[in-house]
Amino acid sequence: MAQQAYMTETDNGDSGPERRRTRIRRLFDRAVTGWRGDRRIWRRGLITAAVAILLAVVMAAHSHIPNAIGNLGSLTETFLPWFGLLIPVLLVIALARKSATALIALVLPVSVWLNLFGGLLFDKTGTGGDLTVATHNVNAGNADPAGTARAVAAAGADVMALEELKASAVPTYEKALAAKYPHHAVVGTVGLWSKYPVSGVRAVDIQLGWKRAMRATVATPSGPVAVYVAHLPSVRVKLEAGFTARQRDKSADALGEAIADEELPRKILLGDLNGTMNDRSLTAITSQLRSPQGAAGDGFGFSWPASFPMARIDQILVTGVEPMTSWTLPATGSDHLPIAARVKVDTTAS
C-alpha cells in the first residue's frame, strides 16, 4: 500500500518541465518521422536543388551576364539583393518535399548572398566627422518644393545637392534655403547649397546636350573639397528593348572622366545616378569612389521608389575623406528618398 502511494505521488509530480520536454520530443519525432529510413529524400526535390544552384550561379557570376541583349546584366545587378528572397521560398519547398538534396543545395545561394550583402546587415555607423552632406532628387513635378527643401535641410547638412530642379521652382528652393545656406549655385537642373563658401562652379559635360551635372569647390573649415552634383539619364525597362540604359552609361563614362581629371584630392559626388553600386555600367565612377553607405551605413539604404524603396540609385560617393556614417531621410513630396552622410574631411586629425 505504501509502495502504491509513493508511485502515485511521483506520477502527479511529473507535470512540470519533464512533461514539457516529453511533449517537445514527441513533436520533433513526428516532424522527422517522414525522413527516417526514407531513401527517397535524396531523390526528391531535384528540380528545387537545380533552381537553388542556378540562383547561386546567377548571383556569383552576375558580372558575366551579358549586356548585349537588353542590358540584362545591368538589370540583374540593379535588383541583385532581392534575389535573396527566393531562398526562403526554396527552403519551404525543400521542407515540404522532404528533400535532403534540395536542403544541401540551398547552402550555395545562402553562402553567395551572405558573401555579397551580409556586411550590409550590420550597423557600421560611427561617430564624429566634420562635414555632413545630403542629396535629393526633388522631382520636377513636386507639388511642395518649399516643404521638400525644409525637410532635407532639417537633416543638418552642411552641403546639400538637389537634382531635377524645375526652372520655375528654383526661386522657391532658393527662398526656403536662404537662411541656412548663404552660398549656392544652380547649373541647369542641378544645384548645390552650402554653409561654406563655394567657388569654381562650372557645368560638367556628360554628353546630354543640356546641363545635368556640375562641379564646385567648397571651402570647408578643414580644407577645400571638390563637390560634384549629377543627375544621370533615366533608364527604362521595356518589353521590346529590355533595360534601356545606353545614354545613362555614356553619361556615366563622361562623369567618371571628369572626376578622374579633378585636381583636388578630396572629392564628393552627390546625385541621382540611376544605378546601384553593383551596376557594372557605373564602373567609371564607382571604381574611383566609395559609398559611405557601404562603408559606414546601416542596411541597404534603398532610396527609390519612395513609396516602396527597392534600389539605391541615389548616391553619395567619396574619396580623400573618411566616411563616418550614412542614412536615409524621411520621404518628401518626391518619388525619391533623400540620403545623407557624415564624413571626416580632416583625415590627418586623430
Side-chain angles (χ1 to χ4, degrees), residues 4-19:
Q4 183 178 356
Y6 173 79
M7 292 178 63
T8 302
E9 184 179 357
T10 302
D11 289 342
N12 290 340
D14 192 32
S15 59
E18 185 63 33
R19 178 168 294 181

Side-chain angles (χ1 to χ4, degrees), residues 182-184 194-199 217-221 225:
H183 311 280
H184 86 280
S194 173
K195 294 180 179 179
Y196 308 122
V198 173
S199 63
T217 298
V218 176
T220 76
V225 178

Side-chain angles (χ1 to χ4, degrees), residues 12-315:
N12 290 340
D14 192 32
S15 59
E18 185 63 33
R19 178 168 294 181
R20 285 194 294 272
R21 284 194 293 269
T22 303
R23 187 182 301 118
I24 294 173
R25 179 62 181 270
R26 284 200 302 267
L27 291 174
F28 177 79
D29 289 344
R30 189 179 304 166
V32 302
T33 296
W35 298 71
R36 289 179 177 174
D38 185 359
R39 296 181 179 180
R40 291 187 301 168
I41 63 174
W42 301 104
R43 295 194 295 269
R44 282 194 298 261
L46 295 181
I47 294 178
T48 304
V51 172
I53 294 172
L54 177 61
L55 176 61
V57 171
V58 169
M59 291 192 295
H62 63 86
S63 62
H64 298 288
I65 299 174
N67 262 341
I69 301 176
N71 271 352
L72 184 60
S74 288
L75 177 61
T76 300
E77 290 165 339
T78 297
F79 298 102
L80 195 60
W82 293 93
F83 279 55
L85 291 181
L86 293 174
I87 294 175
V89 174
L90 293 174
L91 175 61
V92 170
I93 296 174
L95 291 173
R97 293 281 294 151
K98 296 180 179 178
S99 170
T101 301
L103 288 175
I104 293 175
L106 275 171
V107 173
L108 291 175
V110 169
S111 300
V112 173
W113 193 91
L114 289 175
N115 181 62
L116 290 172
F117 305 111
L120 295 175
L121 300 178
F122 303 97
D123 186 353
K124 301 181 293 297
T125 57
T127 58
D130 48 19
L131 184 71
T132 299
V133 296
T135 182
H136 188 29
N137 178 327
V138 296
N139 188 356
N142 195 320
D144 183 20
T148 295
R150 288 191 295 269
V152 181
D158 301 304
V159 177
M160 181 173 65
L162 300 180
E163 304 87 46
E164 207 168 297
L165 290 170
K166 190 176 180 179
S168 59
V170 169
T172 303
Y173 287 106
E174 291 175 331
K175 182 179 179 180
L177 297 172
K180 284 190 175 182
Y181 299 96
H183 311 280
H184 86 280
V186 175
V187 176
T189 61
V190 298
L192 181 70
W193 276 259
S194 173
K195 294 180 179 179
Y196 308 122
V198 173
S199 63
V201 178
R202 59 176 173 80
V204 176
D205 182 10
I206 55 174
Q207 302 184 19
L208 277 177
W210 68 96
K211 298 174 181 178
R212 286 183 29 157
M214 63 176 286
R215 179 263 181 214
T217 298
V218 176
T220 76
S222 299
V225 178
V227 178
Y228 286 76
V229 183
H231 182 192
L232 297 187
S234 299
V235 296
R236 298 288 186 269
V237 180
K238 301 179 180 179
L239 291 177
E240 71 278 9
F243 189 64
T244 58
R246 184 172 302 174
Q247 185 58 61
R248 190 277 313 265
D249 299 346
K250 183 179 179 181
S251 293
D253 291 340
L255 179 59
E257 291 178 9
I259 294 173
D261 292 338
E262 173 61 50
E263 295 181 357
L264 289 178
R266 299 163 174 154
K267 311 172 193 178
I268 298 177
L269 170 61
L270 307 170
D272 174 5
L273 303 188
N274 272 305
T276 68
M277 291 296 289
N278 295 315
D279 192 336
R280 78 195 68 173
S281 296
L282 300 185
T283 300
I285 299 170
T286 56
S287 62
Q288 306 181 61
L289 310 169
R290 63 172 174 160
S291 167
Q293 182 66 29
D298 180 14
F300 291 92
F302 295 146
S303 64
W304 178 89
S307 57
F308 187 81
M310 298 182 65
R312 186 180 177 86
I313 63 175
D314 301 275
Q315 304 289 351

